[in-house]
Amino acid sequence: MTTYLPERNHYQTISMLGNGFEELMSVRLARHVPSGSYVAVRHINLEGCSHELFSLLQDELHIAKLFHHSNILPYWASFVVDNELWIITPFMAYVALLGGGGAGSAKDLISAHFTDGLPEPAIALVLYEVLRALEYVHRMGFVHRSVKASHVLVSADGRVYLTGLRSALSMILDGHRLRAVHTFPRHSVGTLPWLSPELLQQNLEGYDTKSDIYSLGIMACELANAHVPFKDMPTTQMLLEKLNGTVPCLLDTHTIPAEDLNLQNARASHGVEGGAGGGGAAGWPAASSPDQFSHPYNRTFSAPFHNFTEICLQRDPDRRPSATALMNHVFFKQVRKRQCDALPELLRPVAPLTEQQEAATHAHPDNGLDGVVRGLQRMQAAAADDDGDGDWDF
């Protein structure tokens, strides 16, 4: 087993991958010199961190050291170099084909390639592995509080990792497990659409691990439809919609009748937008062209997938199943029939960086790694010209 020591000269930087953490962090692809393997190295400027951000980093590193699970991103090493904190993690090889310098996350996959959403079998595999991670997090006495597609990473061999530990909160106090917690997650503006109604409500009842189940339901819609429910709404309207029990749904022929599709297309062709907030029902975007909704409305998701999403998004947290119970949902029957490494085949024609490098090296033996570096540099230049959010937010 490879050991990743806290030695600066053990990590040879190859290219920039992205940035984040309020512009204090850069993420770079590096070669682990002793083993020759690729790793991702986060460089965090400690001098620029406020006391609050430094406290967040400490909490994240503590939790990462505490957690050991095959579906939670491991931190192989962390150490200080000059004024920077370096964190060594596995490299998510699907980054090579993702526009905007992405992290190799599920969000990057749907943004760059599966713009109408991932295929249902791939979604089932991803959600099942995330549930395995959540079941562990909850068993350890924590609420994750940041379950979303950008915090789900996919490796070259199709393994799914949950990250975003910076927002995790312990429910253990003085050796006793609390019934509920009340702390609002810091620096959570970008996570609001995923957060549960009871967490946003901030009342005396508080929230518990069932809050993560609601976020999982939002992420299921995100993966299926390549859009986050409530994301285009003003914050106040989003809060009211959630508190009033508005339940997002999967967009397909079960939820959108054909006559509604024709009406939506007709409205779009005349330049008429959706309802309040510039969106359609439950926070979905209004059509901007007659063909925008043709693909989502004309596909059909399975009944178990619809049921899974609905029970995750119940307004009453007591009606939501636990992560353990959800792992036995009929929706995951298709997962148990597949091999554990089935995800890469379901993501075709998208290929991970390692597979592209092997092909390039076979065709041009002297240019394999050089080609990888040039490709990443082109991605970095494209990201600099992109007005979108290319930050790594985990």
Side-chain angles (χ1 to χ4, degrees), residues 179 198 208 210 314-321:
R179 184 189 67 82
E198 65 270 18
D208 61 13
K210 294 293 185 68
Q314 293 290 320
R315 170 65 180 89
D316 182 359
D318 291 334
R319 298 179 63 185
R320 299 174 208 147

Side-chain angles (χ1 to χ4, degrees), residues 53-314:
L53 292 177
F54 189 79
S55 177
L56 280 176
L57 276 175
Q58 285 183 310
D59 292 343
E60 177 184 358
L61 292 174
H62 170 73
I63 295 171
K65 186 176 181 179
L66 178 67
F67 287 176
H68 298 280
H69 191 272
S70 59
N71 292 111
I72 294 179
L73 185 73
Y75 288 18
W76 284 333
S78 58
F79 52 98
V80 175
V81 177
D82 298 329
N83 66 330
E84 291 184 335
L85 172 66
W86 286 23
I87 301 176
I88 313 301
T89 66
F91 172 58
M92 299 294 118
Y94 275 93
V95 70
L97 284 180
L98 307 179
S105 72
K107 174 189 173 183
D108 297 318
L109 283 171
I110 58 179
S111 296
H113 296 284
F114 297 91
T115 54
D116 290 320
L118 291 173
E120 182 174 329
I123 296 173
L125 284 169
V126 169
L127 291 179
Y128 186 77
E129 298 302 307
V130 172
L131 271 172
R132 292 186 71 240
L134 283 179
E135 192 273 338
Y136 175 82
V137 170
H138 296 168
R139 181 157 40 89
M140 294 291 286
F142 283 79
V143 188
H144 188 277
R145 304 194 303 176
S146 195
V147 178
K148 55 181 182 175
S150 61
H151 288 164
V152 175
L153 308 183
V154 183
S155 68
D157 58 359
R159 298 188 67 175
V160 175
Y161 295 92
L162 180 64
T163 182
L165 299 179
R166 193 176 301 135
S167 299
L169 177 68
S170 175
M171 296 187 67
I172 308 295
L173 181 64
D174 297 330
H176 300 283
R177 184 165 185 143
L178 301 175
R179 184 189 67 82
V181 289
H182 301 82
T183 306
F184 194 83
R186 294 173 287 179
H187 302 276
S188 61
V189 175
T191 311
L192 293 179
W194 290 266
L195 297 180
S196 67
E198 65 270 18
L199 192 158
L200 293 172
Q201 194 169 10
Q202 288 289 283
N203 61 17
L204 294 177
E205 294 184 5
Y207 60 93
D208 61 13
T209 56
K210 294 293 185 68
S211 177
D212 287 339
I213 302 302
Y214 181 92
S215 300
L216 186 74
I218 296 293
M219 191 182 79
C221 293
E222 178 184 9
L223 296 176
N225 298 284
H227 181 83
V228 183
F230 306 110
K231 189 175 180 65
D232 296 329
M233 286 185 177
T235 303
T236 302
Q237 183 189 358
M238 176 193 67
L239 178 61
L240 290 175
E241 293 281 354
K242 289 189 176 186
L243 296 182
N244 288 334
T246 298
V247 178
C249 61
L250 307 177
L251 292 179
D252 71 351
T253 55
H254 287 308
T255 55
I256 309 297
E259 55 270 24
D260 287 359
L261 172 60
N262 294 333
L263 176 61
Q264 185 71 269
N265 286 341
R267 287 164 59 87
S269 65
H270 288 85
V272 180
E273 295 186 351
W284 295 104
S288 58
S289 70
D291 295 328
Q292 179 172 336
F293 281 131
S294 59
H295 183 275
Y297 284 142
N298 289 323
R299 67 185 173 194
T300 302
F301 291 117
S302 68
F305 189 16
H306 279 281
N307 178 261
F308 173 87
T309 305
E310 290 167 7
I311 62 176
C312 287
L313 294 172
Q314 293 290 320

Side-chain angles (χ1 to χ4, degrees), residues 329-348:
H329 192 280
V330 66
F331 174 53
F332 296 118
K333 185 177 181 180
Q334 58 185 305
V335 172
R336 291 187 282 272
K337 292 181 178 180
R338 292 181 178 273
Q339 298 294 323
C340 60
D341 57 352
L343 189 55
E345 290 303 317
L346 294 173
L347 296 179
R348 297 290 182 187

